[in-house]
Amino acid sequence: MDIKGLKERLKAWEETSSKREKIILFVGTIFIPLFLFYKFYYLPAQGKIKNLNEDIKKLELEIAKLEGFVKREKELEGLIKNRRLFLEEVKGILPSEKEIPQLLKDVNLLAKKNGLEILKFTPGGEEKKDYYNIINFSMQFKGSFSEIIKFLNDVERLPRLVTLNTIEFSPEAKEEKISVNSNFRTYKFTGEPLSTPQGKK
């Protein structure tokens, strides 16, 4: 169907539809996408971050404990090696400080690649946490629902961890596009706790 025919059908629907039907459509346009993003993107990402943080803390403690016995217990060497390899894999998910600028560029390019119109891209501050830092950035863009879904899928597939923190939709009244305000997070591994335990320096 061409654009003109689609507009004519939309105009006819608007003239014949009741106020209740219009309200239902508007509410569905806002809340259904919000529910989908919350269920399939926001909640899984938060769970992944929590698990990664817990894994890092546990692995650091295990490595420190095992290294204290390595001189006396030769059989622990293989276990320590395996733990170190797994820790490196966890670190590999989180970008290093040098990789952050390129990672932000990659996200920006993914948005353009998927046909989104970028209205604003704002790097945010850095929050220090135990063993990693949170790096925030916000994006305002416009596109169709399918373009937005493809963009978020591509972000999720990036080698380094980038998560969607918040998202707001604003349907355009005169366009077949949705304006989006979103906040993302990426994570830089530091390997350092916020505070040094008592008795250690």
Side-chain angles (χ1 to χ4, degrees):
M1 181 181 294
D2 59 17
I3 299 299
K4 183 177 180 181
L6 178 59
K7 289 182 177 179
E8 289 176 354
R9 290 190 63 181
L10 288 173
K11 183 176 180 181
W13 177 85
E14 184 176 3
E15 292 174 351
T16 58
S17 297
S18 65
K19 184 177 181 180
R20 180 173 179 274
E21 290 175 328
K22 293 177 180 178
I23 291 174
I24 291 174
L25 179 63
F26 179 77
V27 171
T29 302
I30 296 296
F31 288 102
I32 291 176
L34 280 176
F35 172 79
L36 292 174
F37 279 113
Y38 183 81
K39 181 175 179 62
F40 294 107
Y41 290 95
Y42 183 81
L43 288 181
Q46 295 303 310
K48 185 186 296 184
I49 294 166
K50 181 180 179 181
N51 291 336
L52 282 172
N53 190 30
E54 291 176 353
D55 286 343
I56 289 171
K57 290 182 179 180
K58 290 178 181 178
L59 289 168
E60 292 283 4
L61 290 173
E62 286 188 32
I63 289 172
K65 183 178 179 180
L66 292 171
E67 284 179 337
F69 296 96
V70 69
K71 292 181 180 180
R72 292 176 295 159
E73 303 292 338
K74 293 293 185 181
E75 63 270 19
L76 292 178
E77 291 181 356
L79 181 58
I80 292 174
K81 181 179 179 180
N82 290 336
R83 292 298 185 183
R84 286 189 181 279
L85 289 174
F86 185 71
L87 179 59
E88 290 303 317
E89 291 178 4
V90 174
K91 290 180 182 179
I93 300 174
L94 308 181
S96 65
E97 185 171 1
K98 292 181 179 180
E99 293 172 312
I100 297 297
Q102 183 59 49
L103 181 61
L104 297 182
K105 290 180 181 178
D106 290 342
V107 174
N108 197 32
L109 289 172
L110 282 178
K112 293 179 179 178
K113 176 184 175 182
N114 284 286
L116 298 177
E117 178 185 349
I118 301 173
L119 306 177
K120 193 174 182 180
F121 187 97
T122 309
E126 190 167 333
E127 303 174 31
K128 292 184 178 181
K129 300 288 184 180
D130 280 333
Y131 303 100
Y132 70 95
N133 291 352
I134 298 174
I135 299 172
N136 299 285
F137 62 96
S138 61
M139 291 182 68
Q140 296 179 17
F141 52 86
K142 184 189 296 184
S144 68
F145 186 74
S146 61
E147 290 170 341
I148 295 169
I149 290 291
K150 289 178 182 178
F151 165 61
L152 293 175
N153 281 334
D154 286 345
V155 170
E156 188 178 18
R157 295 189 188 101
L158 284 171
R160 301 302 190 183
L161 182 62
V162 178
T163 62
L164 176 65
N165 190 35
T166 62
I167 190 165
E168 296 177 1
F169 297 90
S170 300
E172 296 288 336
K174 297 181 180 180
E175 298 184 30
E176 297 176 7
K177 292 187 176 182
I178 302 171
S179 292
V180 176
N181 288 329
S182 60
N183 290 287
F184 291 86
R185 286 179 171 180
T186 187
Y187 305 84
K188 180 178 71 179
F189 181 78
T190 63
E192 299 177 358
L194 286 178
S195 58
T196 303
Q198 292 184 356
K200 294 185 179 181
K201 293 185 180 180

